[in-house]
Amino acid sequence: MAENIFNGVNVDALVQTIEAVKKDPQIGEFKFRVRNTWQDGTLNRATVKGFYGAKEEHPDRAGRLEYDIDEPPVLMGNDRGPNPVEYLLVGLSGCVTTSLVAHAAARGIKLNSVASELEGDIDLRGFMDIDPNVPVGYKEIRITFAIDADATRDQIEELAEFAKNHSPVAGTIMNATPVTVKVKKA
Amino acid sequence: MAENIFNGVNVDALVQTIEAVKKDPQIGEFKFRVRNTWQDGTLNRATVKGFYGAKEEHPDRAGRLEYDIDEPPVLMGNDRGPNPVEYLLVGLSGCVTTSLVAHAAARGIKLNSVASELEGDIDLRGFMDIDPNVPVGYKEIRITFAIDADATRDQIEELAEFAKNHSPVAGTIMNATPVTVKVKKA
């Protein structure tokens, strides 16, 4: 029997994975990891390598693994890469898109094209410790989708909202997610 | 007079910028942006381009601007790039590092090296809509720093915690930050 591929997603494998996680939630426990090394000033470099999931370590990844992070000149950098809050939007854009594609596939909604624009507002008085009442992070992030799909406008709007509400990056941002820091003994 | 460069950061420029934002908070209002285009299945591509800040548009950026986002095979992708939640950690790693470097410079603490490892836990039952009580995003993110600096261990630990609490990406994650979605009329 041919594989059931929809929106480029293997729907049979998706359904099987969901059933497996329902039976054994440990299969769905993942740990993702990144390393970072400071270079100089506002330049640092992040490396994506292994992760844990489906009950085993996955030590190797294909493709490019290193990402340079810098600031533009107006923020005292040399523009050798996007800045940290732009990488956050890169991750969010990918997450809401994949969430939308996967949940559309599960519902049998065929997508022809999906594009999005994201914009977030930051008030630097938070980072600069000028005013403790100003949020340090983004005040708000707006996602605007342009979607061509074999579905009604109401279905598409409901799908976009559902995709956001089931996107792990969006969930991390919309919830108060704990971030802990510790310093290794030298 | 020579410029006052500390940890690779132009401290005179940093202090001038902070003073300028104190006098005119509009200078500190920034908008960052990303575009994303779905390719196929779990593959999509984000583009970083212009931003708004210091009261003007900055339409152009140097360097590489496109980022491929995919999933590993165990999550039904082809590993053509890091996944969305890994890009979130890339941004967080850069943000806490730059926050630490800048605030150390402002305090006159000389850094010799800064490295970090980040790890976050995700339970896929949230994304898969299996259990509404499971968070959709990361349950927790842990940052472990290795820092060599001309400072006491207490100073370094306090600096690391301060850096996290003044990092815009960490702030976006630790606060409940609103994310809105809308669909453009076709």
Side-chain angles (χ1 to χ4, degrees), chain A residues 21-175:
Chain A
V21 172
K22 274 185 189 165
K23 277 185 202 147
D24 181 357
Q26 282 195 344
I27 294 171
E29 288 178 13
F30 279 67
K31 289 180 194 295
F32 293 101
R33 301 173 187 132
V34 159
R35 289 175 184 206
N36 187 293
T37 310
W38 175 48
Q39 306 296 311
D40 188 44
T42 56
L43 178 66
N44 57 76
R45 187 166 296 146
T47 307
V48 179
K49 208 169 172 222
F51 67 94
Y52 173 87
K55 296 184 164 183
E56 59 184 348
E57 286 290 333
H58 301 260
D60 294 312
R61 303 296 291 277
R64 211 174 72 89
L65 299 166
E66 294 203 332
Y67 295 87
D68 278 358
I69 304 159
D70 196 5
E71 295 288 348
V74 70
L75 292 170
M76 274 151 288
N78 293 295
D79 214 3
R80 289 159 291 193
N83 78 2
V85 293
E86 290 172 325
Y87 275 106
L88 177 85
L89 295 183
V90 168
L92 178 60
S93 76
C95 205
V96 292
T97 300
T98 297
S99 176
L100 189 136
V101 169
H103 286 293
R107 293 172 186 204
I109 296 177
K110 185 175 182 305
L111 298 169
N112 302 309
S113 68
V114 180
S116 55
E117 297 180 355
L118 289 83
E119 185 175 71
D121 310 318
I122 290 194
D123 183 334
L124 287 185
R125 289 178 297 168
F127 166 71
M128 290 174 170
D129 203 24
I130 291 173
D131 184 342
N133 297 313
V134 171
V136 169
Y138 278 117
K139 286 188 287 188
E140 182 188 82
I141 300 171
R142 296 171 293 280
I143 304 169
T144 307
F145 274 116
I147 297 169
D148 179 2
D150 296 349
T152 66
R153 183 165 170 83
D154 280 356
Q155 285 175 316
I156 292 171
E157 286 184 349
E158 195 274 330
L159 176 66
E161 192 69 26
F162 187 91
K164 182 196 79 172
N165 290 331
H166 292 80
S167 149
V169 173
T172 303
I173 293 169
M174 294 191 295
N175 285 311

Side-chain angles (χ1 to χ4, degrees), chain A residues 122-123 126-127 134-138, chain B residues 164-172 175:
Chain A
I122 290 194
D123 183 334
F127 166 71
V134 171
V136 169
Y138 278 117
Chain B
K164 181 195 79 170
N165 290 332
H166 291 81
S167 149
V169 173
T172 303
N175 285 312

Side-chain angles (χ1 to χ4, degrees), chain B residues 6-111:
Chain B
F6 206 86
N7 297 335
V9 174
N10 186 328
V11 177
D12 295 337
L14 178 62
V15 169
Q16 281 161 23
T17 304
I18 292 171
E19 291 306 316
V21 172
K22 273 185 188 165
K23 275 184 201 146
D24 182 356
Q26 281 195 345
I27 293 171
E29 288 178 12
F30 279 67
K31 289 180 194 295
F32 293 100
R33 300 172 188 134
V34 160
R35 289 175 186 208
N36 187 295
T37 310
W38 176 49
Q39 306 296 309
D40 188 44
T42 55
L43 178 67
N44 57 75
R45 187 166 294 145
T47 307
V48 179
K49 209 168 171 222
F51 66 94
Y52 173 88
K55 295 184 164 183
E56 59 184 348
E57 286 290 334
H58 301 260
D60 294 312
R61 304 295 291 277
R64 211 174 72 89
L65 299 165
E66 295 203 330
Y67 295 87
D68 279 357
I69 304 158
D70 196 6
E71 294 288 349
V74 70
L75 292 170
M76 274 151 288
N78 292 296
D79 214 5
R80 288 159 292 193
N83 78 1
V85 293
E86 289 172 325
Y87 275 107
L88 177 86
L89 295 184
V90 168
L92 178 60
S93 75
C95 205
V96 292
T97 300
T98 297
S99 176
L100 189 137
V101 169
H103 286 292
R107 292 172 188 204
I109 296 177
K110 185 175 181 307
L111 298 169

